[in-house]
Amino acid sequence: MRIKIHEIIGIMFIGVSRVWFRNALVFRRNIRVNLIPPFIEPLLYLGAIGFGIGAYITDIEGVPYIRFIAPAILAASVMNASFFECAYGTYVRMYYQKTFDALLATPITIQEVILGEIFWGATRGLISALSISIVLLLLGLASPVGLLIVLPFSFLAGVLFSSIAACFSAVSPSIDTMSYPATLFVAPMFLFSGTFFPLHLLPQIVQVLALLLLPLTHVVSLIRGLLTETSVPLWAFNISWIVMGTIIFSFLAIRLFKRRLVV
Amino acid sequence: MSRYVIEAKDLTKRYRDLTAVDSISFSVTRGELFGFLGPNGAGKTTTMKMVQCVSPRTGGKLRVFGDDPETSGRIIRKRIGVVPQETNLDPDLSVFDNLTVYARFFDIGRDDALKRAKNLLEFFELEGKKDTIIEKLSGGMKRRLLLARALMNNPDLLILDEPTIGLDPQGRHHIWEKLLKLRAEGHTIVLTTHYLDEAAKLCDRLVIMDHAKILVEGSPDALVRTFIGMDIVETDKSDQVTRYLDSINISYGTGGEMIQVRTDKPRELADRLTEQFREIRIITRPGSLEDVFLMLTGRGLRE
Ligand SMILES: Nc1ncnc2c1ncn2[C@@H]1O[C@H](COP(=O)(O)OP(=O)(O)OP(=O)(O)O)[C@@H](O)[C@H]1O
Ligand SMILES: [Mg+2]
């Protein structure tokens, strides 16, 4: 009996969605707690940085400062939500709750578990993007049409950040070591990805490093282009980096988890 | 279709330089309740994980429902229910959701899942805990819920890794009763245990494992008959008694603080001993699976 490739993909899709659903159900059970931070956080940033610092800065490249950082705040929230879900959330489910062990005793495969986790992480990113979009829309800080494109794009960016986090999760010997990627990768990315000031203010070498190593750079510049209706000079490079990174890190995450869990 | 539910030949598992399962062969037939006994670290859990298709074997042959776990893991797992040694209930979900969410992973429709979950909670007397969070269950309830979860997909094979670990006598009897009922319904069950009485009471056949190998295989009665054969006279260990037994040419074993003599005339020996030593404390009893176990695996503690 030969099973065709599209049937395998079909079965996998069902498996992945089942894992995703399990996480979504838990999220829904605690919806009140879960939905407050994504609304509060952007307001804090907009308030402190946008209106505070923004009082001293008028325009950046013809864009009012608060409009300049609004897209970055959205992008950074997607990053945070996705990254932390698949760093800490995934690690806790794997290591402390033995949820993966339980899943792997069912017909679900390890690929499906990991992809389900990554897509769930991306969904957390999308939820954050959605709540910030509402805030930005109400404050009139972003182009409504741009927001429509930004939402599905946030999901893709979420997959990228989730899969990177999943790789760290898979190799982390303990939950404490997860603070390394958090402080050495996520925190610098939050500051040096053209988020609060344009990338070209940085020394050239740092600019190159940011473009090569910090995925948030690409996400910020694309989202900023869409929300401020300005041009994105490196758009092709930005998109390629995100797509390639998503594919590479997803596969890598699956491999690393296999190495850790299938013994 | 093969009459064997599980067939293992020279099954081997190595973790780097440690051989956890060393070339074991066994088979489990349909409708059987089959046991794995063995001290800590014998390789029981490792064997169960290979059968469950979650841990790939290093060598040998393994067939479950006639299929190879290496290539047909998903199909095999669909027909298996598992109670793991370490509890892995979903702490984020309620008792009821634990069952219904689990059912989804087996492609069980919503209505079916709700019905089965309800029936199983009744079967294991957990209806009252339906909406409780896992954290608030007692150890015994968790074990019962794990068993209920393992039955959600109506499995053709149930794998239970120490199903009664950490339970009080009531809890163990409750689970035994349910297992015997399940066997009567025709389920094939494989279990591991450290409790000899449990194995003697439940298993049709069992193997005793130690140091990654199977030492013996048979029904509990046959094992006791073959290896002990007779009754046991037991008394406190003392030099006088061993000297006396040596002098009348009766062989004995010593384990812990006791001397054991296998004999087919227990009364006679007991009388001779009381005659010889006034204050001696003597127990005569039929040989048990525990004697077989200790005889084969020794009394040393395992790390
Ligand atoms: N993932 C692993 N990596 C390395 N060694 C392992 C792993 N799992 C088990 N072992 C080793 O394999 C051997 C057999 O372990 P196993 O868990 O199968 O024993 P067991 O018979 O189930 O013991 P217990 O009665 O204590 O549960 C032990 O020496 C154990 O340390
Ligand atoms: Mg074990």
Side-chain angles (χ1 to χ4, degrees):
Chain A
M1 188 176 67
R2 271 196 66 220
I3 300 179
K4 291 182 202 72
I5 189 86
H6 69 266
E7 288 174 11
I8 293 178
I9 292 173
I11 292 170
M12 268 201 76
F13 177 77
I14 293 172
V16 171
S17 65
R18 300 265 143 91
V19 176
W20 182 92
F21 173 86
R22 181 251 163 232
N23 290 336
L25 183 73
V26 174
F27 181 84
R28 222 181 60 201
R29 292 267 186 270
N30 306 312
I31 191 110
R32 263 182 237 118
V33 191
N34 283 329
L35 271 192
I36 293 169
F39 275 103
I40 302 294
E41 221 188 87
L43 287 174
L44 292 179
Y45 283 120
L46 282 175
I49 301 175
F51 296 111
I53 299 174
Y56 293 92
I57 307 166
T58 44
D59 282 7
I60 287 185
E61 287 150 2
V63 179
Y65 187 63
I66 188 142
R67 281 184 157 261
F68 178 83
I69 61 158
I73 286 166
L74 191 148
S77 301
V78 171
M79 170 183 78
N80 278 327
S82 304
F83 193 92
F84 285 95
E85 181 63 27
C86 281
Y88 289 97
T90 298
Y91 197 85
V92 165
R93 284 188 282 276
M94 167 184 70
Y95 189 85
Y96 293 100
Q97 304 189 348
K98 308 279 176 216
T99 311
F100 292 6
D101 290 349
L103 292 181
L104 293 175
T106 74
I108 301 294
T109 62
I110 183 141
Q111 289 94 313
E112 293 162 349
V113 173
I114 304 313
L115 289 178
E117 287 286 320
I118 290 175
F119 285 133
W120 172 247
T123 308
R124 292 295 300 260
L126 179 63
I127 293 169
S128 279
L130 200 62
S131 32
I132 297 173
S133 296
I134 294 169
V135 173
L136 295 185
L137 206 60
L138 291 177
L139 297 177
L141 290 176
S143 135
V145 183
L147 281 175
L148 277 182
I149 308 169
V150 160
L151 285 178
F153 174 70
S154 321
F155 187 79
L156 174 64
V159 174
L160 174 64
F161 293 119
S162 297
S163 56
I164 295 172
C167 291
F168 285 117
S169 221
V171 296
S172 204
S174 85
I175 195 138
D176 299 324
T177 45
M178 208 68 82
S179 57
Y180 287 109
T183 44
L184 297 179
F185 182 61
V186 175
M189 194 146 60
F190 182 61
L191 296 170
F192 292 101
S193 297
T195 29
F196 301 109
F197 52 86
L199 207 56
H200 65 73
L201 294 181
L202 290 166
Q204 196 134 34
I205 176 76
V206 183
Q207 283 183 45
V208 172
L209 286 178
L211 282 169
L212 288 180
L213 301 179
L214 303 180
L216 185 62
T217 316
H218 306 289
V219 178
V220 166
S221 71
L222 289 168
I223 293 183
R224 181 170 287 142
L226 288 164
L227 295 191
T228 59
E229 293 172 328
T230 52
S231 67
V232 184
L234 292 177
W235 64 271
F237 179 57
N238 295 148
I239 291 175
S240 314
W241 204 110
I242 291 168
V243 171
M244 292 299 294
T246 302
I247 294 169
I248 290 168
F249 289 114
S250 302
F251 274 98
L252 186 64
I254 291 173
R255 272 197 76 103
L256 293 172
F257 270 109
K258 263 191 186 164
R259 203 181 66 183
R260 178 171 190 147
L261 296 176
V262 182
V263 289
Chain B
M1 213 201 278
S2 158
R3 71 193 192 92
Y4 293 121
V5 175
I6 309 174
E7 233 186 317
K9 182 133 185 22
D10 300 326
L11 182 61
T12 299
K13 177 77 192 185
R14 270 189 291 275
Y15 296 112
R16 285 203 194 87
D17 47 1
L18 182 136
T19 305
V21 173
D22 190 1
S23 197
I24 65 171
S25 302
F26 66 92
S27 52
V28 177
T29 49
R30 200 171 300 280
E32 195 171 28
L33 206 164
F34 191 93
F36 280 82
L37 275 177
N40 288 142
K44 305 178 297 293
T45 298
T46 306
T47 307
M48 296 305 109
K49 285 191 172 160
M50 287 191 280
V51 174
Q52 277 165 247
C53 317
V54 299
S55 175
R57 65 183 183 271
T58 317
K61 182 183 136 178
L62 179 62
R63 295 289 176 273
V64 184
F65 307 121
D67 286 324
D68 186 343
E70 204 169 293
T71 53
S72 312
R74 191 195 290 271
I75 301 167
I76 295 171
R77 286 199 303 272
K78 202 170 162 97
R79 300 173 61 186
I80 294 184
V82 177
V83 172
Q85 183 172 349
E86 268 184 76
T87 302
N88 60 19
L89 292 165
D90 199 326
D92 293 330
L93 299 171
S94 69
V95 165
F96 195 74
D97 285 347
N98 254 277
L99 299 183
T100 51
V101 170
Y102 200 70
R104 275 176 190 265
F105 297 116
F106 287 92
D107 265 331
I108 297 168
R110 179 140 189 86
D111 291 346
D112 257 4
L114 293 178
K115 204 157 52 192
R116 287 198 66 82
K118 206 169 153 290
N119 290 340
L120 283 166
L121 287 184
E122 250 162 58
F123 187 68
F124 287 103
E125 294 163 34
L126 287 166
E127 314 97 305
K129 300 284 170 186
K130 193 167 157 288
D131 300 315
T132 308
I133 209 83
I134 299 302
E135 202 182 309
K136 301 224 169 96
L137 295 181
S138 75
M141 292 173 192
K142 283 184 195 160
R143 267 348 249 176
R144 265 142 62 199
L145 181 59
L146 276 170
L147 206 53
R149 193 184 69 176
L151 287 165
M152 278 303 284
N153 61 325
N154 206 0
D156 295 320
L157 168 63
L158 252 181
I159 296 180
L160 316 173
D161 201 352
E162 306 194 17
T164 61
I165 191 170
L167 297 193
D168 62 12
Q170 288 85 344
R172 293 173 67 204
H173 279 280
H174 179 96
I175 289 207
W176 290 352
E177 182 199 316
K178 300 303 178 191
L179 291 182
L180 290 172
K181 211 177 253 175
L182 290 168
R183 185 183 59 175
E185 288 169 12
H187 284 87
T188 310
I189 304 175
V190 174
L191 62 81
T192 78
T193 181
H194 290 291
Y195 301 115
L196 285 308
D197 55 336
E198 177 167 300
K201 193 177 162 80
L202 296 177
C203 298
D204 298 310
R205 272 191 318 138
L206 57 87
V207 294
I208 297 182
M209 277 187 91
D210 196 12
H211 299 302
K213 286 187 188 304
I214 289 181
L215 303 178
V216 287
E217 187 231 284
S219 70
D221 286 346
L223 288 175
V224 174
R225 234 180 297 123
T226 317
F227 287 92
I228 306 296
M230 297 171 269
D231 288 340
I232 303 253
V233 175
E234 229 171 10
T235 177
D236 296 327
K237 188 151 102 185
S238 76
D239 287 344
Q240 289 119 313
V241 178
T242 52
R243 238 177 284 129
Y244 173 69
L245 289 172
D246 285 334
S247 75
I248 58 172
N249 269 329
I250 288 180
S251 61
Y252 56 86
T254 56
E257 294 301 299
M258 304 295 274
I259 296 175
Q260 286 110 7
V261 182
R262 285 164 55 194
T263 171
D264 44 11
K265 297 197 188 72
R267 277 262 59 91
E268 198 172 294
L269 178 66
D271 288 347
R272 283 175 76 176
L273 284 170
T274 23
E275 218 166 88
Q276 195 74 18
F277 310 96
R278 277 284 147 67
E279 300 287 285
I280 197 165
R281 204 164 58 97
I282 295 177
I283 303 160
T284 66
R285 57 176 175 83
S288 72
L289 197 55
E290 185 147 350
D291 298 309
V292 181
F293 185 83
L294 290 173
M295 191 177 113
L296 292 172
T297 59
R299 283 177 180 270
L301 271 183
R302 303 309 156 91
E303 72 277 8

